[in-house]
Amino acid sequence: MNIGVDIRVLTDKEYSGVSWYTLDLLSAILAVDKEKQYFLYYNSFKDQSSRLPKFNQSNVKIYSTRFPNKIFYLLQKFLRWPKLDLTAIKPHLKIDVFWSPHINFSSFSKNCKKILTVYDLSFLLYPEFFSWRKNFWHRFLNFKKLIKNSDKIIAISENTKQDLIKISNISADKIVVVYPGVGKEFQPLPTGDLQKIKEKYNLPDKFILNIGSIEPRKNIAGLVRAFDVVADKLNDYYLVLAGGAGWKNKEIFSAITNAKNKDRIKILGYVDYKDRPALYNLATIFAYPSFYEGFGLPILEAMACGTPVITSDSSSLPEVAGDAAVLVDSNNEKALELAIIALTENEELRNSLIAKGLERVKLFTWKKSAKEYLRIFYE
C-alpha cells in the first residue's frame, strides 16, 4: 500500500499545535509501520528539505512541487491541478490513500482515497475570534466542500465530531474520533534539570503558566484580569504567558498594560518546544481558560508533568480533562479567580489533581493514535 501525507505544515518556521500534532503522529505511525510506503508531500517555491524533520526510513520518500503558494492555491481552487497524489517521484506510481492532517487547498485523482483530520470548527462557530484575513481564507478554502469530498474524516475529539455533524450535515459514519497522544518528554523532571530553563527565561519561584498563541479564543485577557484581582492576595506569584503573537490581540496587550500588577506578568513569546516540559514542571498552576478548543493538548501535557490544571467547562475541554482539573466557566472571571486561590491555598486539592492528572494522561498515547490511523488506512 502506498500512502501519501501532506506535510506542508512541517515547513512552517514556527510550529503551531497542528504542526506538532502532525510530526508526533507521523513519527509514531512510521515507528509502528515499516512495511507500507509513505510519500510525504509539500509545496514551496524554495527548497524546504533542510527545514523538514529527518525521516530516515527506507519506506519513506519526500516529494514536492515548486509553485509560489499564492499561485498554487489558485491552481488548486480553480483548475483542481496539480493532483497531489499524481505528482510523486515516479510517473507510474499510484498512491492508494492520501492523508491530509490539516485543512488546505488540495485536489486528488478520482481513485485516490482521501482522509482529512479536523481539529476544531472555531473558524465557523466563532469568526469574531479571527482576523478578516483568516476569515477570508477559510471562506475561500470552502471547508464544507473539502469534507464532502473526503472519504473519511478523523476528528480529534467527540466534541469536534458533534460540531461537524451539526454544521456540515454529514453522516456520523463518515467520522472517526482518534484522540491525540502526549509525548513521553512530558513528565516530572528532576529539579536539577529545571534550573537552566528557569535561568534562561528568568522565571520566578511561583507562577501561573499559560501556553498558547496570543489570540482572543484563548481567553488570555480574561486570565490577565483574573490574575490582576488575586495578585494582591498572592503577593509572591507571577503570571507567565508563553506563545507566539496570534491575531486580534490588542485587547490582550491592553489588559496587560492596564493591569495594576503588570510588573508581575511575564510574556515569553514563542518558546522552543524542547523547553515546554520544563516550563510545565516549574509552574505552580497551568491555567487554560480557553473559550473553545478542539482538544486542548496543553492541559494533558501539564498533567503529564505533574502540574495541576485549571481549564474551561466548555467545548472539548471537559472531555479531555475528566475529573483531573478544576473546570470553570470561561465567561466567568470571578470563577477563575476563585479557582486560582483554591489551587494556591489548598494543598490537598493540588495533590489530588496532580495524582489524577498523572493517571489521566495514560489514556492518551501516540502509539495508540498511530494504530488507529493504520486501521483506518487499511479500511
Side-chain angles (χ1 to χ4, degrees):
M1 180 186 286
N2 295 326
I3 299 171
V5 183
D6 187 341
I7 60 166
R8 279 178 278 178
V9 293
L10 299 186
T11 63
D12 294 344
K13 186 176 180 180
E14 292 185 353
Y15 275 18
S16 64
V18 173
S19 305
W20 287 117
Y21 173 94
T22 303
L23 178 59
D24 287 340
L25 179 53
L26 180 57
S27 299
I29 289 171
L30 295 176
V32 172
D33 185 11
K34 307 291 185 181
E35 296 179 0
K36 291 186 288 299
Q37 299 299 308
Y38 289 84
F39 296 86
L40 314 184
Y41 167 81
Y42 75 92
N43 174 76
S44 176
F45 186 63
K46 296 181 180 179
D47 182 10
Q48 299 286 359
S49 55
S50 61
R51 181 178 289 179
L52 289 170
K54 305 302 179 186
F55 299 101
N56 298 318
Q57 288 182 213
S58 60
N59 65 330
V60 178
K61 300 288 187 295
I62 295 176
Y63 69 104
S64 62
T65 47
R66 290 284 185 266
F67 298 98
N69 276 328
K70 290 181 180 178
I71 293 175
F72 180 78
Y73 296 155
L74 293 173
L75 290 172
Q76 292 291 296
K77 175 75 173 177
F78 298 109
L79 299 182
R80 307 293 296 163
W81 180 89
K83 307 296 186 187
L84 304 194
D85 58 306
L86 297 180
T87 58
I89 298 166
K90 297 178 181 178
H92 61 276
L93 178 68
K94 177 181 180 293
I95 288 181
D96 303 293
V97 176
F98 197 100
W99 169 41
S100 299
H102 190 36
I103 57 172
N104 211 331
F105 292 96
S106 308
S107 60
F108 305 96
S109 60
K110 185 178 179 180
N111 295 325
C112 180
K113 297 294 184 181
K114 301 168 287 295
I115 299 172
L116 174 66
T117 299
V118 177
Y119 303 92
D120 66 70
L121 275 69
S122 55
F123 53 93
L124 293 176
L125 293 169
Y126 299 100
E128 66 271 20
F129 289 156
F130 295 87
S131 67
W132 72 266
R133 289 178 184 273
K134 283 285 182 181
N135 283 324
F136 175 79
W137 189 85
H138 283 121
R139 283 195 294 271
F140 193 62
L141 184 61
N142 196 345
F143 171 74
K144 292 184 179 180
K145 187 175 181 181
L146 270 180
I147 60 173
K148 181 182 178 182
N149 291 339
S150 298
D151 296 286
K152 188 68 74 174
I153 307 294
I154 298 178
I156 64 169
S157 66
E158 186 63 36
N159 183 79
T160 294
K161 177 178 178 177
Q162 295 307 317
D163 284 345
L164 277 165
I165 293 170
K166 291 174 188 174
I167 289 179
S168 305
N169 225 9
I170 60 174
S171 169
D173 295 338
K174 190 175 179 176
I175 310 168
V176 182
V177 175
V178 179
Y179 289 130
V182 181
K184 293 180 180 179
E185 64 271 23
F186 295 99
Q187 59 178 302
L189 299 173
T191 304
D193 295 348
L194 304 177
Q195 190 59 34
K196 286 184 179 179
I197 300 301
K198 187 178 181 182
E199 293 173 358
K200 177 179 178 179
Y201 294 103
N202 190 27
L203 296 171
D205 291 331
K206 296 179 180 180
F207 63 92
I208 299 155
L209 175 67
N210 177 275
I211 292 181
S213 299
I214 310 297
E215 59 184 73
R217 179 165 60 93
K218 303 296 183 179
N219 194 20
I220 297 172
L223 176 59
V224 167
R225 289 189 291 265
F227 171 76
D228 199 33
V229 171
V230 302
D232 291 335
K233 188 173 184 179
L234 307 175
N235 52 25
D236 52 350
Y237 277 83
Y238 283 69
L239 175 62
V240 174
L241 306 176
W247 44 81
K248 296 184 75 171
N249 49 33
K250 287 184 178 179
E251 181 191 355
I252 299 169
F253 288 109
S254 176
I256 295 169
T257 300
N258 294 328
K260 60 183 177 182
N261 294 288
K262 61 184 176 184
D263 57 322
R264 286 160 57 194
I265 301 173
K266 290 182 66 67
I267 304 173
L268 303 185
Y270 183 83
V271 299
D272 290 340
Y273 187 75
K274 67 179 186 296
D275 293 342
R276 284 173 65 156
L279 286 177
Y280 286 124
N281 271 265
L282 287 163
T284 312
I285 298 169
F286 181 67
Y288 201 69
S290 182
F291 289 116
Y292 177 91
E293 293 291 329
F295 188 79
L297 191 55
I299 66 176
L300 288 182
E301 293 173 348
M303 288 177 185
C305 293
T307 304
V309 171
I310 300 170
T311 192
S312 302
D313 63 0
S314 59
S315 63
S316 66
L317 294 166
E319 177 184 349
V320 177
D323 65 349
V326 176
L327 302 180
V328 299
D329 181 350
S330 54
N331 292 296
N332 187 341
E333 291 174 17
K334 183 65 178 178
L336 184 53
E337 296 165 20
L338 293 173
I340 293 171
I341 293 293
L343 274 181
T344 54
E345 294 185 346
N346 189 331
E347 193 68 22
E348 184 178 348
L349 175 61
R350 283 180 51 79
N351 291 336
S352 173
L353 289 181
I354 291 170
K356 287 179 179 179
L358 291 170
E359 284 300 310
R360 182 73 181 166
V361 295
K362 293 178 182 178
L363 300 174
F364 305 89
T365 69
W366 285 118
K367 186 175 182 179
K368 185 188 293 186
S369 306
K371 288 183 175 179
E372 276 294 293
Y373 267 80
L374 289 171
R375 181 187 63 78
I376 295 165
F377 291 161
Y378 276 118
E379 184 183 277

